[in-house]
Structures are given as C-alpha cells and as structure tokens.
Amino acid sequence: MSSTRVLLLGVLLDGPLHGYEVRRRLELMGTQHWANVAYGSIYHGLAKMADEGLLERVEEGKGGKTVYGITEIGRAEFARHLMSHWWEIKPIVDPFQVALTFMDRLSPADLTSAMEARAAQLRFSISMTERAIGGKQAFGAPRHIDECLRLNILQLQAQLTWLEEAMEKVRDGKLP
C-alpha cells in the first residue's frame, strides 16, 4: 500500500470528511515537505478506496462533495500498513542522486554554480521549515507533527553539510 493511501486512511480515522477537508488536513500535517502526495489524486484515491471497501461514501453532497468515512476493513488495512511503515527501510528516491551520478559531465564552473544554488535553496528550505515548527498547532495539528518537520530539517541539513564539503573538494580539484 502506498504512503498516500495510508495518509488518506489515517486522516479519516477521526471521522468522515470530504476530499477538500482531507487535503487541508494533509497540508496541516506538512506532507508537502516529506511525502509525495499529488493533491489532485486525493479525490481519485478516495473514490478507489471506497470501491475497494476501505472507505464508505457517507454522503453524496452538492457539487460533488462526497463525504467519505473509513470502514472496519479500512481501519485494519491502515493498522497493518502503518506498522509495516515503522519496520521497513526503503531507499529515499531523490532526483538529486541522479544529478550526483553525472556531476562529472558538468564543467567545474557549472558544477560549482549548481552546488551554490542548491546550497542557497537548502538554506531557504531549512529556514522556512524551522518557521513552521509550532505554528501548525495553532490550526489544530497535533504536537507530534512538529517531529516530521524536525526530521525534514535534519535531512536538509545533512544534504547541506555534504554539499558544502563537496564544494570545497570541487574547488580543490578533488571532485569529480
């Protein structure tokens, strides 16, 4: 089961919601920073899981606002997959790894320029994520959501640390 499906089921544990409310909850959790949730696929995912019996259509509203609730089968699937997510270690898929693989195809000037630009983006992302810590609680997010943000900051910081060290190696002619 994909992480998106687990997220959708998990959001519905507290009660029935329509697609827009599901999206708002996911945004409140900051999933755009650490999960690859295509917000446009939420509605499709909800409808598909309803067809599979994981969700039920509680209410068919005006303007297509269908309200979904989680079924007992959905709760069991959520619990099973939630535990598997705690135990499984999977590779993090990051396009940046592709860029690293072919760093030797760039001139040292282009490589240094790209690295400096990425470092600036990482610093900005770290700053913005730090600012979000604590703020989401004011809108109803549970305290532990800040831990997702802290983990994201540490991952960004690790990449920035590596990048700064690698830039020195490029400048010294030791890389690529």
Side-chain angles (χ1 to χ4, degrees):
M1 178 174 279
S2 74
S3 294
T4 299
R5 289 170 61 98
V6 173
L7 284 165
L8 294 176
L9 290 171
V11 166
L12 291 168
L13 287 173
D14 294 330
L17 301 168
H18 59 75
Y20 180 74
E21 292 170 320
V22 169
R23 178 182 174 161
R24 296 284 297 153
R25 298 261 176 107
L26 293 174
E27 288 172 344
L28 185 60
M29 291 177 190
T31 58
Q32 68 272 21
H33 298 290
W34 48 265
N36 190 20
V37 177
Y39 290 121
S41 67
I42 289 173
Y43 300 96
H44 173 74
L46 292 170
K48 186 168 176 19
M49 287 192 293
D51 293 343
E52 295 169 3
L54 301 173
L55 301 176
E56 63 181 335
R57 290 175 178 87
V58 175
E59 181 183 321
E60 301 273 350
K62 294 180 184 174
K65 282 192 178 181
T66 303
V67 176
Y68 294 92
I70 190 166
T71 63
E72 287 306 313
I73 296 169
R75 287 179 186 280
E77 278 292 291
F78 170 80
R80 188 167 65 81
H81 289 287
L82 179 64
M83 287 308 294
S84 75
H85 281 11
W86 276 100
W87 286 87
E88 292 177 22
I89 296 176
K90 292 186 175 187
I92 297 171
V93 179
D94 184 354
F96 181 56
Q97 294 284 53
V98 175
L100 289 178
T101 302
F102 296 106
M103 69 189 318
D104 63 331
R105 307 304 169 114
L106 296 173
S107 70
D110 286 344
L111 179 57
T112 301
S113 175
M115 293 173 111
E116 288 170 350
R118 186 167 189 92
Q121 290 176 339
L122 287 167
R123 286 185 197 98
F124 178 76
S125 292
I126 290 167
S127 172
M128 293 304 291
T129 306
E130 287 172 341
R131 292 168 81 190
I133 291 177
K136 292 188 175 290
Q137 291 174 33
F139 297 97
R143 286 187 318 226
H144 67 273
I145 294 302
D146 283 350
E147 295 310 312
C148 294
L149 297 173
R150 285 186 180 89
L151 178 59
N152 187 250
I153 289 167
L154 290 172
Q155 290 169 333
L156 293 170
Q157 187 60 55
Q159 192 177 126
L160 179 60
T161 299
W162 176 87
L163 195 56
E164 289 170 340
E165 292 171 5
M167 281 191 289
E168 285 301 314
K169 291 178 184 177
V170 169
R171 288 183 185 114
D172 292 343
K174 298 178 183 175
L175 194 67

